[in-house]
Amino acid sequence: VKEVTIHSGTPVTMADLSIEGMSCEMMCGGSIRKALAKLPGVSATEIVFSEAEQRDHAIVTYNEAEITDAQMIEAVHALHGGQYKVMAVTITKQVRGSGAPVDGDEGVSSEVSVSVYGPGSVALPNVLSLLSLILRR
């Protein structure tokens, strides 16, 4: 779990699901996006395909009081007879900072601890890099 301090806006929680078995953005990505969007507490889902990486990703914005990352993993694994496998999960929580932001302090990340679901040898991309890649598109 990684915490990012924000000083304005509403804090959100995002899960980066590293998924094995997706072969196309339209059918595979669409199926995963729809399945995750139907879950209670999920407010947004983005599928990220990267030719540079072995696995593709689903970035899910959700309310952690309504759904857990384990429930999202179960929903992905249940699709198409278990064709898709979530190999790792990175959770990013935005937390409201106290006081006024210091110059350059907005969005400063402080890593609290790391929790990965899946094999220990799986390397995850930096979530902030993924999010900036998504926003550029």
Side-chain angles (χ1 to χ4, degrees), residues 76-97:
V76 172
H77 287 181
L79 290 170
H80 303 292
Q83 175 180 341
Y84 311 115
K85 300 289 182 208
V86 177
M87 302 305 291
V89 177
T90 301
I91 306 295
T92 301
K93 292 181 182 183
Q94 293 179 342
V95 294
R96 184 166 306 280

Side-chain angles (χ1 to χ4, degrees), residues 56-121:
D56 301 305
H57 299 263
I59 310 296
V60 184
T61 304
Y62 67 101
N63 180 340
E64 62 186 331
E66 295 181 49
I67 189 166
T68 65
D69 56 330
Q71 291 169 312
M72 289 185 273
I73 292 167
E74 288 174 19
V76 172
H77 287 181
L79 290 170
H80 303 292
Q83 175 180 341
Y84 311 115
K85 300 289 182 208
V86 177
M87 302 305 291
V89 177
T90 301
I91 306 295
T92 301
K93 292 181 182 183
Q94 293 179 342
V95 294
R96 184 166 306 280
S98 59
V102 179
D103 285 341
D105 188 33
E106 186 67 31
V108 171
S109 173
S110 67
E111 196 163 318
V112 176
S113 63
V114 176
S115 175
V116 176
Y117 175 85
S121 63

